[in-house]
Amino acid sequence: MTESAPRVAFVHTGAVVIPPVAELARRHLPAATTVNYLDDKIVADLGDPQRATSVPARLEALVSAARDAGADVVMLTCSSISDLAAPTAAAAGIPVLRIDEAMADAAVATGERIAVLATLPTTCAPTTALIEERAALAGRSPAITSEVVDGAFAAVAGGDRGTHDRLVAEAIERAARDADVVVLAQASMASAAEGVVVDVPVLTSLEPGIRRLREAVDAL
């Protein structure tokens, strides 16, 4: 890291997450310079067999651009590309963090029955895999269930945040009946949890992810 203020780059796959991430970065990393990189077609292309193979190289290009612009560390804010963090970091030569890793660790530490909710299939599988990875590192073997909340993504993509939040809230209530902890796989789902009252923790990625980023920056 240079002697000046640390530079942190965020790589996003959707513009909706940029404002809340920026606010948390201002709160937890007030001395850092932050920069955002966006490819808002990555999630869609992951579901297209002809374009999915292009995603690793595109992500590497974004992270390399961040490195060339002076970034000391990069954080991926999308769970759909979490599994690409390690190879991208190796290629770019700088740390690449996953915003949902701290959430996964918290889920593993909380209970043996973990329910994962997502609004996109391309996010559900990587989040489940991440929890399995972190559980193995912790020497645990939780039972993980998952659900893609039908209709929620289409609603929010069409500008209907109210319907999205209602559908996700209903899914949280269902999942909480048979789980020790509920994990919301996408940062964009966090608003749906605000009005839900259940007897188990409902975990989101942004706050714990940025806290872990702060730890990484402090350690540089």
Side-chain angles (χ1 to χ4, degrees):
M1 188 172 68
T2 62
E3 294 182 1
S4 59
R7 176 167 286 207
V8 175
F10 295 102
V11 174
H12 310 281
T13 63
V16 67
V17 78
I18 295 177
V21 166
E23 174 57 31
L24 286 168
R26 282 191 292 270
R27 190 188 314 165
H28 294 289
L29 294 157
T33 298
T34 60
V35 58
N36 297 290
Y37 294 84
L38 171 67
D39 183 336
D40 64 1
K41 293 300 182 186
I42 279 181
V43 171
D45 289 349
L46 284 171
D48 182 338
Q50 293 185 335
R51 292 188 172 93
T53 56
S54 73
V55 171
R58 285 155 61 185
L59 185 60
E60 183 180 327
L62 290 170
V63 173
S64 295
R67 177 203 61 209
D68 294 345
D72 300 296
V73 60
V74 174
M75 172 161 272
L76 308 182
T77 66
C78 176
S79 298
S80 293
I81 54 175
S82 282
D83 61 329
L84 297 174
T88 304
I94 60 173
V96 178
L97 307 185
R98 305 176 286 192
I99 201 165
D100 50 354
E101 184 178 289
M103 175 182 69
D105 287 342
V108 169
T110 299
E112 293 301 315
R113 299 176 302 164
I114 301 173
V116 176
L117 299 179
T119 63
L120 285 168
T122 52
T123 306
C124 198
T127 300
T128 299
L130 175 60
I131 293 172
E132 291 172 343
E133 171 198 317
R134 304 307 291 180
L137 289 172
R140 295 175 179 252
S141 301
I144 305 171
T145 60
S146 63
E147 177 186 344
V148 177
V149 184
D150 187 43
F153 182 78
V156 77
D160 189 351
R161 170 62 66 174
T163 296
H164 167 277
D165 287 359
R166 176 180 59 79
L167 291 172
V168 174
E170 291 170 355
I172 292 171
E173 292 170 351
R174 290 194 303 272
R177 297 178 192 135
D178 299 305
D180 299 315
V181 57
V182 177
V183 171
L184 301 186
Q186 290 147 250
S188 59
M189 301 170 71
S191 60
E194 294 174 359
V196 179
V197 179
V198 292
D199 294 329
V200 301
V202 180
L203 304 183
T204 58
S205 61
L206 291 185
E207 183 85 27
I210 298 300
R211 289 182 183 274
R212 182 161 293 184
L213 174 61
R214 170 62 186 268
E215 294 171 2
V217 170
D218 288 345
L220 290 173

